[in-house]
Amino acid sequence: MASTTDLLAPITEPEVLELQDHFYALVGSGGEIAEQEKLFHPHYIWSPLPGSGLTLTPTENQKLHENLTNDTHTLQPLAHLIELPPVDGRARAYCPGDFKWHATKPDGSNIDCIVHLATIVERRPDGDGLWFVMYWGNGFEYLPGSAELDL
């Protein structure tokens, strides 16, 4: 167990980007759902899929990706990193930002878009990095010539 001081240390942008990168690498490679779920607080909030009204879980999100190839997520700097009051003695932060998403559909067309995202992250109780408390997709901005995600 990490010390109380460590658990309250301010969350940094590199830590948030490392968490996001780990998650997107698992999603893009078809990583095990159990591994993905370890990156989320047991009582996490996941947004509806932008424009669809479908609420996703890590399992449902993985199903959206399973028939795609060249599935890559390119991190962008966070728009902001706002410290929130600690919860249960652990630091939390609100982290809005975007990432670029590219994937090839089975018909050979490419999805290229910017995904607008807002997350809340907190330090894990064991002190081993961060996990998502909230993962909220605010929308897709399809780039010119992009195919759209089939829902």
Side-chain angles (χ1 to χ4, degrees):
M1 179 75 166
S3 76
T4 302
T5 304
D6 293 339
L7 294 176
L8 289 171
I11 292 170
T12 65
E13 182 173 19
E15 288 178 295
V16 175
L17 295 176
E18 179 180 334
L19 172 64
Q20 290 179 347
D21 190 50
H22 186 145
F23 175 57
Y24 301 141
L26 288 170
V27 170
S29 68
E32 293 293 323
I33 296 302
E35 286 303 307
Q36 293 180 37
E37 288 178 338
K38 289 178 186 176
L39 303 178
F40 289 83
H41 185 281
H43 303 291
Y44 65 85
I45 298 169
W46 192 305
S47 73
L49 186 63
S52 75
L54 299 172
T55 301
L56 298 179
T57 64
T59 300
E60 292 160 334
N61 184 61
Q62 190 64 50
K63 284 180 184 176
L64 285 175
H65 289 262
E66 69 186 0
N67 292 321
L68 303 172
T69 57
N70 304 315
D71 193 347
T72 60
H73 302 72
T74 305
L75 300 176
Q76 306 296 303
L78 298 175
H80 305 285
L81 191 142
I82 301 166
E83 263 188 76
L84 298 174
V87 174
D88 296 330
R90 297 189 306 274
R92 272 193 178 182
Y94 172 66
C95 314
D98 302 331
F99 64 87
K100 291 181 183 177
W101 178 41
H102 169 86
T104 303
K105 296 170 56 170
D107 67 6
S109 61
N110 290 312
I111 300 169
D112 288 292
C113 67
I114 305 295
V115 179
H116 305 291
L117 183 68
T119 62
I120 294 177
V121 300
E122 85 176 10
R123 296 208 178 280
R124 297 175 62 86
D126 60 7
D128 187 22
L130 306 177
W131 58 14
F132 295 107
V133 175
M134 182 188 81
Y135 186 94
W136 197 267
N138 292 320
F140 296 121
E141 183 181 333
Y142 289 104
L143 300 176
S146 176
E148 293 193 13
L149 178 62
D150 298 321
L151 301 175

